[in-house]
Amino acid sequence: MKLQDYISEIKLELTGGLLELEITDETIAALVNKAFREIQRYIDIPKLITVPFASCIDLEGWKHSSIVKIYRTDGYTGNSSATNDPIPNDPMYMQQWMIYSNGASMYNLDNYIQNFLSYNTLLQMRNTVSTDMSFKEDKEGKKLYINCAYDAPKTVTIEYIPIYQSVEEVDDDYWTDQIARLSMALTKITLGRIRSFATQSNALWQLDGQTLLAEGTQEAQDIRTHLVENMNFIYPID
């Protein structure tokens, strides 16, 4: 949603397309950006990026709020997308069909399963002593330290919460709606303060400054309460 779209929606609701506002489009844009900066801390839509593995990754230039999780890109049998991978399929799946081929038997399958279970037990023991793909982010030094419990992969996939540089980068329907609602509330508060700055006691008509101020204040409070109560954002501490 473009910045001008937010401005047009606010002006349409507050003027009906007939009246003139006391504030300019630049002022409304500043209020939209203020709402965007306030709501951005609650946006929890993750992004994924695959990078070469290193025990220490330089995060200089990364625009992110936090790192959620790190995944191995390669499985136990290697990268299935590689053309030179000798075992692109699941070995348990292949062994299942080997028992129907000539020379295979249930003994071979049972022996293979026992070896496979032993291997998984070894992986669990390694992961208990040293958690695989556990990480520590150095915010000040802009470094990401990754622990590898066994064979180091060629690449890893990092799941992170991005920092948006502009309100126009937010394309999720839920969050654009929250930004639009808070922008409207902040605009009502601003207009309410302007229109109630001074009043005439003997005037035949009065501006709706107090009404707008009360509406905007209540709407902003409701939105902020909703965001806090429904926040689904976890900051890892170690």
Side-chain angles (χ1 to χ4, degrees):
M1 191 170 178
K2 301 297 184 181
L3 178 59
Q4 186 59 46
D5 295 331
Y6 288 101
I7 297 174
S8 299
E9 276 193 12
I10 292 172
K11 293 176 67 176
L12 178 62
E13 183 167 338
L14 293 177
T15 68
L18 297 175
L19 304 176
E20 294 290 336
L21 293 180
E22 298 90 325
I23 56 178
T24 63
D25 288 1
E26 289 75 15
T27 302
I28 299 176
L31 293 170
V32 173
N33 286 324
K34 183 178 185 299
F36 162 67
R37 288 192 299 271
E38 183 173 342
I39 285 181
Q40 180 167 206
R41 74 192 68 167
Y42 299 102
I43 299 178
D44 55 358
I45 301 176
K47 288 188 176 182
L48 299 175
I49 184 173
T50 300
V51 299
F53 172 78
S55 58
C56 179
I57 296 178
D58 187 8
L59 299 180
E60 187 69 36
W62 274 45
K63 302 298 181 182
H64 70 285
S65 175
S66 67
I67 293 177
V68 180
K69 198 169 182 180
I70 298 176
Y71 306 93
R72 282 178 171 267
T73 306
D74 298 342
Y76 293 143
T77 59
N79 187 356
S80 59
S81 63
T83 57
N84 59 349
D85 186 4
I87 311 178
N89 298 308
D90 182 3
M92 289 296 292
Y93 178 80
M94 292 188 296
Q95 187 68 23
Q96 175 184 352
W97 296 103
M98 284 179 61
I99 63 174
Y100 299 107
S101 62
N102 294 330
S105 65
M106 290 301 296
Y107 172 78
N108 293 335
L109 177 62
D110 181 71
N111 187 49
Y112 182 87
I113 291 177
Q114 293 298 327
N115 291 334
F116 188 79
L117 292 176
S118 299
Y119 177 65
N120 276 276
T121 301
L122 177 61
L123 291 181
Q124 292 177 14
M125 294 172 61
R126 287 183 175 179
N127 203 47
T128 300
V129 176
S130 177
T131 303
D132 188 49
M133 294 295 106
S134 62
F135 63 93
K136 178 70 175 180
E137 181 183 3
D138 180 4
K139 283 279 190 180
E140 184 175 352
K142 300 185 184 302
K143 301 291 184 181
L144 175 64
Y145 299 93
I146 304 175
N147 178 65
C148 189
Y150 42 97
D151 295 341
K154 293 181 179 179
T155 59
V156 290
T157 297
I158 301 175
E159 181 180 2
Y160 68 99
I161 304 297
I163 294 179
Y164 299 96
Q165 302 301 304
S166 168
V167 67
E168 297 183 354
E169 294 181 12
V170 182
D171 55 7
D172 182 79
D173 292 339
Y174 174 80
W175 291 111
T176 54
D177 180 63
Q178 296 301 317
I179 294 173
R181 291 177 58 200
L182 185 56
S183 300
M184 179 67 67
L186 296 179
T187 304
K188 286 183 178 180
I189 293 174
T190 302
L191 288 174
R193 294 190 186 281
I194 293 174
R195 295 179 184 180
S196 61
F197 175 73
T199 59
Q200 279 184 294
S201 59
N202 59 345
L204 298 178
W205 51 271
Q206 292 183 346
L207 296 174
D208 59 350
Q210 292 296 331
T211 302
L212 277 179
L213 183 59
E215 285 183 4
T217 302
Q218 184 61 49
E219 290 173 5
Q221 180 179 344
D222 292 342
I223 294 170
R224 288 162 178 157
T225 301
H226 173 79
L227 290 172
V228 172
E229 291 179 348
N230 293 274
M231 183 173 60
N232 190 31
F233 196 58
I234 301 175
Y235 292 92
I237 59 176
D238 58 18

